[in-house]
Amino acid sequence: SQQGEEDPQALSIQEGENATMNCSYKTSINNLQWYRQNSGRGLVHLILIRSNEREKHSGRLRVTLDTSKKSSSLLITASRAADTASYFCATDKYGNKLVFGAGTILRVKS
Amino acid sequence: DVKVTQSSRYLVKRTGEKVFLECVQDMDHENMFWYRQDPGLGLRLIYFSYDVKMKEKGDIPEGYSVSREKKERFSLILESASTNQTSMYLCASESGGAPTQYFGPGTRLLVL
């Protein structure tokens, strides 16, 4: 079964607004990562947060991790049309194997 | 810059054909992975390899095999393609010391 599950499945916002995506997982983890996938392309790593971290920033991205609730959120501030993509969380518990969720499809309208 | 390439972006094959998907990385990474991606199911791990000539089954290895004869190259083989193997196939590589994976552009396979 999938370790990570994203919510919502799809999100549509206007350019300039903030986008928040959530990820829940089932078992303890070492790290949680977020990846982006533009339509029909491979995934690109965005940010990694370790299990002993609660928040991390990278440019317009902010990730939080709540291990007690087994959940994470990805916030994209001041969204742009170029942020339109699918976003996946991935957890690693079993050594090098990542377990991906089904993804959130983000559409940013200009 | 990190680079992972896959041999084809699009591929159309007939049921029963043997299919080879190749992946090459130029980062000297130890670990390489093959995933398939289907709508609503996310990425599912087929096989991975942590060294030359080494392979481990992922979550859905049935109907697939792999080969890693050189460190930079990891091949996925569909011995006898079936229509339920129509999917997007993604290759990734990873340094043994860090969990971040680098993905190729994907191969969209259609089995008729």
Side-chain angles (χ1 to χ4, degrees):
Chain A
S1 62
Q2 291 177 341
Q3 169 77 317
E5 293 185 5
E6 289 89 345
D7 168 58
Q9 290 185 340
L11 181 61
S12 183
I13 59 174
Q14 291 293 137
E15 204 166 26
E17 293 181 340
N18 295 341
T20 299
M21 289 158 269
N22 303 297
C23 169
S24 60
Y25 56 92
K26 296 175 183 174
T27 63
S28 61
I29 60 171
N30 296 322
N31 306 285
L32 186 143
Q33 302 179 56
W34 286 90
Y35 288 79
R36 183 188 74 227
Q37 183 181 36
N38 290 92
S39 180
R41 308 292 297 186
L43 278 69
V44 174
H45 177 257
L46 294 176
I47 195 165
L48 178 150
I49 187 165
R50 302 189 188 281
S51 59
N52 61 354
E53 296 176 312
R54 291 296 166 259
E55 188 171 312
K56 203 160 182 181
H57 296 255
S58 176
R60 293 185 296 113
L61 304 180
R62 173 180 170 251
V63 170
T64 61
L65 179 64
D66 186 336
T67 52
S68 66
K69 295 182 179 178
K70 292 185 172 60
S71 68
S72 172
S73 67
L74 171 68
L75 168 68
I76 304 174
T77 58
S79 62
R80 306 166 182 168
D83 295 326
T84 294
S86 294
Y87 292 81
F88 295 87
C89 69
T91 54
D92 65 32
K93 172 181 170 62
Y94 309 103
N96 295 328
K97 290 168 59 177
L98 292 183
V99 181
F100 289 83
T104 291
I105 300 171
L106 172 66
R107 181 184 170 208
V108 181
K109 295 177 283 187
S110 55
Chain B
D1 243 4
V2 161
K3 196 162 186 185
V4 180
T5 57
Q6 294 184 228
S7 50
S8 305
R9 289 298 317 279
Y10 301 95
L11 212 50
V12 180
K13 296 292 181 180
R14 298 247 173 232
T15 302
E17 280 193 79
K18 192 169 186 175
V19 182
F20 293 87
L21 302 181
E22 293 208 314
C23 174
V24 178
Q25 51 99 358
D26 66 357
M27 297 160 284
D28 202 36
H29 283 169
E30 292 83 4
N31 304 327
M32 296 187 75
F33 305 82
W34 275 107
Y35 298 90
R36 65 175 282 176
Q37 182 179 24
D38 300 288
L41 296 178
L43 276 71
R44 293 180 291 167
L45 181 63
I46 305 171
Y47 267 98
F48 67 103
S49 168
Y50 53 86
D51 202 353
V52 175
K53 297 192 185 295
M54 305 300 285
K55 61 184 180 184
E56 294 275 348
K57 292 181 180 179
D59 300 316
I60 51 164
E62 296 79 18
Y64 303 95
S65 62
V66 291
S67 172
R68 193 164 180 203
E69 296 296 317
K70 294 184 178 180
K71 191 175 185 180
E72 67 271 19
R73 190 179 298 267
F74 191 34
S75 301
L76 179 69
I77 303 151
L78 286 66
E79 295 290 342
S80 178
S82 64
T83 55
N84 63 13
Q85 292 179 310
T86 289
S87 187
M88 172 75 137
Y89 290 87
L90 292 163
C91 173
S93 74
E94 175 196 275
S95 166
T100 299
Q101 294 187 7
Y102 297 86
F103 284 82
T107 295
R108 196 170 291 278
L109 173 66
L110 172 62
V111 182
L112 299 173

